[in-house]
């Protein structure tokens, strides 16, 4: 799942819940990787700002997963910059 934070108050919770629920129905012990992906464009200051914003967005997604009952031990977090990303994104992968 890719959540693009291209505006304020992105409504991702229902889609996140649906996807995670379907995965856990098929594989109850599934683990996930949550990746904060920041655009690699702009100068160093812009990249640092994007990185911080994307990290906060990923932390919010992690809190959403926790509120759905998914233990944090089943979610691995990381961050990266991407030349393909045009906005801050949070990617959720099945491990």
């Amino acid at each position: 799942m890719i959540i693009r934070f291209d505006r304020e108050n992105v409504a991702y919770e229902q889609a996140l819940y649906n996807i995670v629920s379907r995965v856990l129905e098929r594989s109850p012990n599934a683990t996930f990787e949550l990746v904060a992906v920041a655009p690699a464009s702009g100068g160093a200051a812009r990249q640092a700002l994007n990185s911080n914003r994307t990290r906060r967005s990923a932390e919010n997604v992690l809190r959403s997963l926790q509120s759905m009952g998914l233990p944090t031990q089943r979610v691995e977090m990381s961050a990266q910059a991407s030349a393909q990303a045009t906005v801050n994104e949070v990617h959720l992968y099945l491990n």
Side-chain angles (χ1 to χ4, degrees), residues 1-19 57 60-61 64 68 88 90:
M1 173 178 190
I2 297 175
I3 305 167
R4 289 185 177 84
F5 289 89
D6 56 354
R7 62 189 180 282
E8 292 292 320
N9 301 318
V10 174
Y12 62 85
E13 288 89 356
Q14 188 61 52
L16 179 67
Y17 177 81
N18 292 341
I19 287 173
S57 295
N60 287 336
V61 173
S64 294
M68 294 174 192
N88 295 327
V90 173

Side-chain angles (χ1 to χ4, degrees), residues 40-60:
S41 60
R46 172 51 95 188
Q47 288 179 15
L49 180 64
N50 284 336
S51 178
N52 285 334
R53 285 182 178 162
T54 304
R55 181 182 45 77
R56 282 194 304 269
S57 295
E59 290 168 353
N60 287 336

